[in-house]
């Protein structure tokens, strides 16, 4: 177990009541280990900050220090899932499993937009859906 251990420290901790979240920078010290999974970090953070659901914890932007052994990233703990879905960008919600990924190709999105640009006024919304 000593080989697989890691130490978590948070700094610049801040309660952001406007966005209904706690935000911080997380430092992970993990000697003899390439990196630590975000799921493992979420479990440890939920114990540290007494969070009931790990889906309300968002971790991102991790950079491993040169030489390994230490990583630094950013963490957010939302008060509720509703607040998380309101304020978080869609790609992070997809990563956390709160939303499903939209399976539209880039070409389909472009064609829809170009069709909508050709029409003026109220018809714009209805014509974008038609072919």
């Amino acid at each position: 177990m000593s080989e697989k251990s890691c130490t978590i420290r948070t700094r610049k901790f801040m309660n952001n009541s406007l966005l209904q979240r706690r935000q911080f920078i997380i430092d992970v010290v993990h000697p003899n280990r390439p990196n630590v999974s975000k799921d493992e970090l979420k479990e440890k953070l939920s114990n540290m900050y007494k969070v009931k659901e790990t889906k309300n914890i968002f971790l991102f932007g991790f950079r491993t220090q040169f030489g390994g052994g230490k990583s630094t990233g950013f963490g957010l703990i939302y008060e509720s899932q509703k607040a998380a879905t309101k304020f978080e960008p869609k790609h992070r919600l997809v990563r956390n499993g709160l939303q499903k990924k939209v399976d539209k190709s880039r070409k389909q999105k472009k064609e829809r937009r170009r069709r909508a640009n050709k029409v003026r006024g109220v018809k714009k919304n209805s014509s974008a859906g038609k072919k």
Side-chain angles (χ1 to χ4, degrees):
M1 185 68 191
S2 63
E3 228 177 78
K4 296 286 183 181
S5 67
C6 67
T7 308
I8 297 176
R9 289 191 194 97
T10 57
R11 58 189 168 92
K12 295 190 178 178
F13 191 90
M14 180 180 143
N15 280 323
N16 191 336
S17 56
L18 285 176
L19 297 176
Q20 301 171 12
R21 71 184 184 194
R22 294 174 271 180
Q23 55 195 46
F24 49 88
I25 294 175
I26 179 170
D27 292 323
V28 185
V29 180
H30 47 88
N32 305 322
R33 199 169 171 185
N35 223 329
V36 185
S37 70
K38 289 181 184 174
D39 292 331
E40 189 177 332
L41 292 175
K42 283 180 188 180
E43 288 295 324
K44 289 192 176 194
L45 283 170
S46 66
N47 291 337
M48 276 174 65
Y49 292 108
K50 297 174 180 68
V51 180
K52 292 171 187 161
E53 285 194 44
T54 57
K55 284 197 174 192
N56 295 344
I57 301 174
F58 290 81
L59 302 174
F60 57 94
F62 277 88
R63 307 293 280 166
T64 306
Q65 221 176 41
F66 181 74
K70 183 180 178 186
S71 300
T72 304
F74 201 74
L76 305 170
I77 301 175
Y78 281 93
E79 292 173 7
S80 64
Q81 270 191 2
K82 187 178 179 184
T85 53
K86 185 176 179 184
F87 296 116
E88 275 298 293
K90 285 182 185 172
H91 71 276
R92 276 195 227 136
L93 291 172
V94 169
R95 284 182 196 168
N96 252 32
L98 294 179
Q99 270 191 358
K100 292 196 177 183
K101 189 177 179 183
V102 179
D103 291 332
K104 282 189 179 178
S105 69
R106 180 181 170 90
K107 189 172 183 179
Q108 282 178 327
K109 289 177 189 173
K110 281 187 170 186
E111 286 173 353
R112 180 185 169 99
R113 180 181 48 111
R114 289 171 76 194
R115 275 197 305 273
N117 285 343
K118 289 179 185 174
V119 182
R120 297 184 62 183
V122 180
K123 289 184 181 178
K124 203 172 233 184
N125 291 335
S126 61
S127 69
K130 293 180 183 175
K131 268 203 168 174

